[in-house]
Amino acid sequence: MSQNTFAIAQLNAMPEAEFVKVLGGIYEHSPWFAETAAQQRPFANAAELAAALRAAVDAAGVEAQVKLVRAHPELAGKAAVRGELTAESTREQAGAGLDQCTPAEFQRLQDMNAAYNRKFGFPFILAVRGYDRHGIIDAFARRLENEPSVELQTCINQIHRIAQFRLNDLVSA
């Protein structure tokens, strides 16, 4: 087990503040979901922990869910350009090749980010692991056609996928 991974028994035994510190980044800039899950310990395994985190998000209500979506950065957006992404977001976006966009692809992403924010009032969210930049641009263009309620739920589902990837990276078997 590396220094940056934890066994479920370690997470269960942590004081609440440490548990929240370790898991607070699973849902981007939203440690209150880890705080909610902390109250449900002990967890038998990582799947139970993931379910508790997911349930906290799903039960939070629309206002908190929109706040969660807004806590995420735009893909290849201004925060990425300024180097202001979390370490997790930086790795995820670079892994999908967003740091290698051509000027035309970068401009297209900027234009779609602006159109998406105008239409929905929050950033486009996609769990980019397994995508390349071309697949991301295609998904972005398709999802711009969604209705707002459908798109909010799509974003929440994508955030759950991101959280699961992050949790898988953090919790050892």
Side-chain angles (χ1 to χ4, degrees), residues 20 24 27-37 56-57 60 64 67-68 71:
V20 171
Y27 285 92
E28 191 96 3
H29 299 296
S30 302
W32 51 87
F33 299 115
E35 291 169 2
T36 301
V57 171
K67 184 176 179 182
L68 172 62

Side-chain angles (χ1 to χ4, degrees), residues 46-105:
E48 279 189 13
L49 172 57
L53 289 164
R54 183 180 182 103
V57 171
D58 291 343
V62 171
E63 186 177 322
Q65 289 174 347
V66 169
K67 184 176 179 182
L68 172 62
V69 173
R70 287 180 179 152
H72 286 73
E74 292 179 334
L75 292 177
K78 295 176 188 93
V81 171
R82 292 189 305 257
E84 297 173 350
L85 298 179
T86 63
E88 295 89 352
S89 288
T90 299
R91 276 192 306 278
E92 291 157 1
Q93 290 197 26
L98 290 175
D99 60 339
Q100 299 170 6
C101 286
T102 66
E105 290 167 335

